[in-house]
Amino acid sequence: MAARALALAERAMLLAGPPGSAEPPVRAAEYGAVSATLSRWFPVRVVDTPPLTGDPVVPAVLTRADRVVLVAPSDDRGLRWLVDCRSWIVPLLREPFDRIGVQVLVCRDARPPDAAARLSPGGSGGVPTFVLPFDPALRDAAALRWADLSARTEAIILDIAAQTVRDMRLR
């Protein structure tokens, strides 16, 4: 199954299932072997897991993660979700979340991000936290397309990715 989902380019690898498919590209039982094999060719692998559900691939990925990026809306509900999510994933991680975690808050409307503004460095548990300003393309995350993002949002996302990789090299 994994072989069908691999798309190789010169130095990049994408492991994904068809959009809208209910079938994951790699099952939980396959993930360890697939990850170990791919690490021979790709020292950095980015895995997008489904939302925290009963899907067994989430713990399979988290137990091997070198970095975890949590994305949530910047409202009070999103902040509560981040707290709940951290408490659920911390026991699965190889290292403390404040060492390998990154949080990204997404402003879903043009109003100032009240909750995000209240999230001080101490309130984030020492975890790097970024805020994506309002971008109409982010309003409906289910239909997100890179080409629809504003140049500012693209630049911020690329900066977050670059800093995350840079931090991994420093460890």
Side-chain angles (χ1 to χ4, degrees), residues 70-160:
L70 301 179
V71 181
S74 63
D75 58 17
D76 287 333
R77 183 173 166 236
L79 293 177
R80 285 191 304 274
W81 179 86
L82 282 176
V83 170
D84 290 345
C85 181
R86 285 192 307 253
S87 68
W88 187 83
I89 69 170
V90 162
L92 300 172
L93 301 176
R94 293 187 295 182
E95 295 188 45
F97 184 70
D98 62 348
R99 182 174 164 119
I100 66 170
V102 174
Q103 300 175 141
V104 178
L105 300 174
V106 180
C107 297
R108 298 281 186 186
D109 58 42
R111 290 178 296 162
D114 295 334
R118 291 194 312 267
L119 188 65
S120 64
S124 64
V127 177
T129 302
F130 302 90
V131 178
L132 288 178
F134 173 71
D135 184 328
L138 297 175
R139 189 181 316 251
D140 180 17
L144 181 62
R145 291 178 15 142
W146 184 260
D148 295 339
L149 296 174
S150 73
R152 180 178 180 208
T153 302
E154 286 180 14
I156 293 170
I157 290 171
L158 291 173
D159 187 46
I160 293 167

Side-chain angles (χ1 to χ4, degrees), residues 21-96:
S21 170
E23 185 176 320
V26 177
R27 297 192 196 312
E30 301 171 311
Y31 186 77
V34 169
S35 181
T37 300
L38 291 175
S39 69
R40 290 186 235 159
W41 297 289
F42 303 99
V44 175
R45 293 162 320 282
V46 177
V47 180
D48 183 17
T49 66
L52 295 182
T53 62
D55 190 325
V57 79
V58 176
V61 170
L62 288 173
T63 57
R64 293 167 179 83
D66 293 318
R67 180 69 70 190
V68 175
V69 180
L70 301 179
V71 181
S74 63
D75 58 17
D76 287 333
R77 183 173 166 236
L79 293 177
R80 285 191 304 274
W81 179 86
L82 282 176
V83 170
D84 290 345
C85 181
R86 285 192 307 253
S87 68
W88 187 83
I89 69 170
V90 162
L92 300 172
L93 301 176
R94 293 187 295 182
E95 295 188 45

